[in-house]
C-alpha cells in the first residue's frame, strides 16, 4: 500500500458520543433518534479514530439520526 494511503490528519474537536455494545460488538454511538439509524463502517484507521467519530457526530446532527460505528 502506498504511503499516501496511510497519511492522514486529525480534526481538532472532541467527539460527542459514547462507547457502548451493539450485537455483542463494541461500538461508538452518537445521536438519539428512535426512528432513524445509520451504520457507519470505518476505514483502515479503525472505529476509535477521532475523524470517524466526528463524522458520525455530524451525520447524527445533520440527519437527526442515531449513528453507530461498530468495532469490526
Amino acid at each position: 500500500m502506498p504511503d499516501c494511503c496511510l497519511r492522514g490528519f486529525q480534526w481538532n474537536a472532541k467527539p460527542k458520543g459514547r462507547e457502548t455494545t451493539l450485537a455483542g460488538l463494541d461500538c461508538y454511538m452518537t445521536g438519539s433518534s428512535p426512528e432513524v439509524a445509520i451504520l457507519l463502517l470505518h476505514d483502515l484507521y479503525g472505529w476509535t479514530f477521532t475523524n470517524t467519530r466526528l463524522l458520525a457526530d455530524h451525520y447524527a446532527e445533520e440527519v437527526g439520526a442515531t449513528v453507530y460505528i461498530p468495532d469490526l
Side-chain angles (χ1 to χ4, degrees):
M1 182 175 304
D3 287 342
C4 65
C5 294
L6 300 176
R7 264 184 279 152
F9 66 93
Q10 191 162 358
W11 291 322
N12 189 18
K14 184 175 178 172
K16 299 175 185 175
R18 64 185 174 91
E19 291 186 10
T20 187
T21 303
L22 177 67
L25 296 173
D26 290 334
C27 74
Y28 176 78
M29 182 186 93
T30 186
S32 61
S33 173
E35 297 177 8
V36 180
I38 297 172
L39 181 64
L40 180 62
L41 302 180
H42 61 79
D43 59 10
L44 97 126
Y45 290 110
W47 74 290
T48 60
F49 187 48
T50 301
N51 290 6
T52 305
R53 291 179 176 203
L54 292 173
L55 183 62
D57 291 343
H58 174 74
Y59 288 159
E61 288 180 24
E62 187 74 20
V63 179
T66 301
V67 182
Y68 301 92
I69 306 171
D71 178 10
L72 301 175

